[in-house]
Amino acid sequence: MIKPTHYDDDGYPIQWLRSAIPSNTLASLNGLAEAARDRKALGEDTRIHLHTYDETNKRVRPDRIARKIRRSGGKALIALVGVQSNQFPRATDLARKFVKEGLPTAIGGFHVSGCISMLDEMPEEMVELQKEGVSYFAGEAEDRRLDMVFRDAVAGALKPLYNFMADLPSLEGEPTPILPSKHIQFTAGSHSSFDLGRGCPFQCSFCTIINVQGRKSRFRSADDLEQIIRDNVAQGIDRFFITDDNFARNREWEPLFDRLIELREKDGFDIKFIIQVDTLCHRIENFIEKATRAGVNRVFIGLENINPDNLMAAKKRQNKITEYREMLQKWRAHGATTYAGYIIGFPGDTKASVLRDVEIIKRELPLDLLEFFYLTPLPGSEDHKVLLDKGIWMDPDLNKYDLNHRVSHHPKMSDDEWEEAYRSAWASYYSDAHIETVLRRAAAHRRGRPGNKLFLMMWFKLMVECEGVHPLEGGYFRLKHRTDRRSGLPRENPLVFYPRFAFDSLRKHWAYLSSVWRVYRIYRKVKADPARRSYSDLAIAPLDGNDTEDLAMIRETRGGAEAVAKQLRDAAIRKRGKDRAAATS
């Protein structure tokens, strides 16, 4: 099982000595395959050997893998798993090499599933690869579906397409998502990842999850969760990224948190978590309190935008900008580091409005980390289907569909303006001045962990500035292999490639050291300030309930005043309902 990476702008696979977070798909499929092996899915006389590769930190050499298989004897299946749209060109190159070696090969993941789900016809590049003998797997592999694929592979009769998109399986009682500990040592820290739920009830037009995992949520049980934790802790893994798109909408969130609290407080497990939530999670009684007791110390929030009109255009109606500040302050009060995603390129955006909005966020929201994305019509999303059906231009190079490249045109901004807005947004948020502001906010709180904020902000800043990749694709010490270049591009002369690679590595590390030393001095100044506990600004100032309308986020954004008016109407309706209920009782 191979989780492919994708190519950089020069055509080399993006690989690191240490990458960021292990692949949840690889962990899930490895757990399912281990279960198939343990129950002898191919019969008593057939042994199943499993090998997993995460190409973000491990080089994949099809010729060597093929030789190893031939030396070992038996039969093999090459499964390219969790393939996103930007990874499909790399997966294609690898698949062709494996097929050339005579090995049955299949590709699965969001690109395949999204295209099968949303498009009337399979894209040309998929059809061409299928003609060359590569199989596709669309949907999810639980419910012992791997058994069928294994049997077909052994018989030399893989089907061109395994399509389970119309049959979403239950997750309860399914095998533990787990990776061998040898994988974790090549990631930043002892993190692994797993999901506790799939599917989303919302209708965001830019999202592929609703069309791949469905709009009906499915969940693992508290017993499943405990088994996942115990299996991972047994091999030294105690930090986890729960990959559910929105954990706050998991109807079983409380029993799940209660089980984690029990493991931490009664059984002494030192476990920590990163979760993803929506902007209304603070309205769920006890959600944030129990989350942080359960070990959640980092939270990713789908902020997406601060313009109500943009949010409505993207069908992200669940986001209420009037709630942003209160929600972030509540997470901050409980000691959690907050991340947020921000999309640039909604129809109402201009370069000036984007940069104005970033300044508003810096000034008015107590947010720690902000990561920017281009609005991207990902295959499998409603946005992609609409543009395709209308014949509107989208970049044909799938390698660019990583949310870090512009792949369409904007109705108001020129291509150059859109790209400049994206670059400037990163530069503005991760300026030295704003890094100091975030550090001062953290130092003012007894659970603020300014050192942790410094590390994370520098990670985000340096990946963008020095490596030219999105922080979620980042890692430590970039690796490049001359012979692994993308098909169609020439193999570079070693006398050119290796000196340039060495020079680039030295240049980047000098930039790392210079930036880190400069910002570390800011950190030391903040920590040494005897008045650091008394620091305050607009973002962290206590809420008085009457200041919302005075925020620039309300006054200067499209639809802000209407959002406040709606909030007041909704509050009045809730109050009347409570009053009637009290009178009746």
Side-chain angles (χ1 to χ4, degrees), residues 407-423:
V407 297
S408 59
H409 300 309
H410 192 271
K412 287 187 176 180
M413 294 184 280
S414 69
D415 294 347
D416 288 343
E417 286 176 326
W418 193 359
E419 291 170 358
E420 179 57 31
Y422 179 79
R423 290 191 295 268

Side-chain angles (χ1 to χ4, degrees), residues 201-453:
F202 298 125
Q203 301 178 33
C204 309
S205 64
F206 53 79
C207 182
T208 62
I209 288 173
I210 55 178
N211 302 313
V212 172
Q213 295 184 347
R215 299 186 181 184
K216 180 181 179 181
S217 298
R218 297 157 288 131
F219 310 110
R220 300 185 196 272
S221 68
D223 289 342
D224 295 333
L225 171 59
E226 181 172 345
Q227 191 64 51
I228 291 170
I229 300 301
R230 290 186 180 278
D231 288 349
N232 277 280
V233 168
Q235 57 175 2
I237 300 166
D238 55 15
R239 299 293 184 267
F240 304 93
F241 175 31
I242 300 177
T243 61
D244 299 34
D245 185 56
N246 185 355
F247 193 81
R249 297 307 130 192
N250 187 322
R251 63 174 180 266
E252 300 297 324
W253 68 267
E254 194 161 24
L256 293 169
F257 281 158
D258 286 343
R259 186 64 63 89
L260 292 175
I261 291 169
E262 183 178 343
L263 288 171
R264 282 168 53 83
E265 296 180 359
K266 290 185 178 181
D267 296 349
F269 280 62
D270 179 21
I271 46 178
K272 301 287 186 183
F273 301 91
I274 305 170
I275 64 171
Q276 302 182 108
V277 297
D278 60 31
T279 58
L280 294 177
C281 60
H282 64 298
R283 292 297 184 193
I284 303 172
E285 187 176 1
N286 291 326
F287 181 86
I288 291 179
E289 290 82 356
K290 286 201 170 185
T292 48
R293 278 185 66 195
V296 172
N297 64 349
R298 300 187 202 173
V299 186
F300 182 88
I301 302 155
L303 199 73
E304 315 306 8
N305 211 266
I306 63 169
N307 282 283
D309 288 355
N310 279 344
L311 295 169
M312 289 296 290
K315 298 185 179 179
K316 200 169 183 69
R317 299 177 180 89
Q318 68 271 25
N319 275 26
K320 314 294 182 187
I321 66 167
T322 51
E323 305 279 351
Y324 286 0
R325 189 155 160 254
E326 180 183 353
M327 176 267 300
L328 289 166
Q329 284 199 9
K330 194 166 184 179
W331 280 114
R332 177 177 181 272
H334 286 79
T337 297
T338 51
Y339 301 64
Y342 199 85
I343 297 174
I344 295 174
F346 284 115
D349 282 342
T350 64
K351 178 183 174 183
S353 73
V354 167
L355 298 183
R356 178 205 63 198
D357 292 351
V358 173
E359 291 302 317
I360 291 173
I361 292 171
K362 289 161 59 178
R363 188 169 59 251
E364 297 183 352
L365 294 181
L367 187 66
D368 298 316
L369 295 149
L370 189 60
E371 50 186 323
F372 299 95
F373 305 96
Y374 282 102
L375 181 62
T376 302
L378 291 170
S381 69
E382 179 185 339
D383 286 351
H384 178 268
K385 182 170 174 57
V386 168
L387 294 184
L388 189 67
D389 289 347
K390 291 182 177 180
I392 296 175
W393 181 84
M394 293 180 284
D395 199 304
D397 185 2
L398 287 172
N399 192 68
K400 294 180 180 178
Y401 285 67
D402 57 358
L403 311 184
N404 197 36
H405 289 79
R406 179 191 57 78
V407 297
S408 59
H409 300 309
H410 192 271
K412 287 187 176 180
M413 294 184 280
S414 69
D415 294 347
D416 288 343
E417 286 176 326
W418 193 359
E419 291 170 358
E420 179 57 31
Y422 179 79
R423 290 191 295 268
S424 298
W426 281 107
S428 173
Y429 194 84
Y430 292 94
S431 64
D432 288 358
H434 188 60
I435 290 174
E436 180 172 351
T437 297
V438 173
L439 293 178
R440 288 196 176 279
R441 291 171 182 168
H445 194 284
R446 63 183 180 83
R447 299 171 64 185
R449 298 184 299 155
N452 175 259
K453 305 294 191 295

Side-chain angles (χ1 to χ4, degrees), residues 118-135:
M118 291 295 287
L119 303 182
D120 297 329
E121 297 180 352
M122 194 181 292
E124 183 179 345
E125 68 273 3
M126 287 180 61
V127 173
E128 186 61 35
L129 197 60
Q130 194 179 49
K131 288 179 180 177
E132 296 175 30
V134 176
S135 298

Side-chain angles (χ1 to χ4, degrees), residues 485-541:
R485 200 174 194 192
R486 186 178 182 179
S487 63
L489 295 177
R491 184 173 294 183
E492 293 187 279
N493 188 306
L495 297 178
V496 174
F497 175 84
Y498 290 108
R500 185 176 65 233
F501 176 64
F503 176 77
D504 284 347
S505 297
L506 289 171
R507 176 183 56 80
K508 289 174 184 177
H509 281 76
W510 175 253
Y512 288 168
L513 291 172
S514 300
S515 294
V516 168
W517 174 243
R518 186 181 68 250
V519 176
Y520 182 68
R521 286 187 294 173
I522 296 173
Y523 168 77
R524 290 176 60 185
K525 179 181 71 173
V526 170
K527 287 282 287 184
D529 186 352
R532 65 183 183 276
R533 294 290 193 214
S534 62
Y535 173 83
S536 186
D537 59 27
L538 178 59
I540 62 175

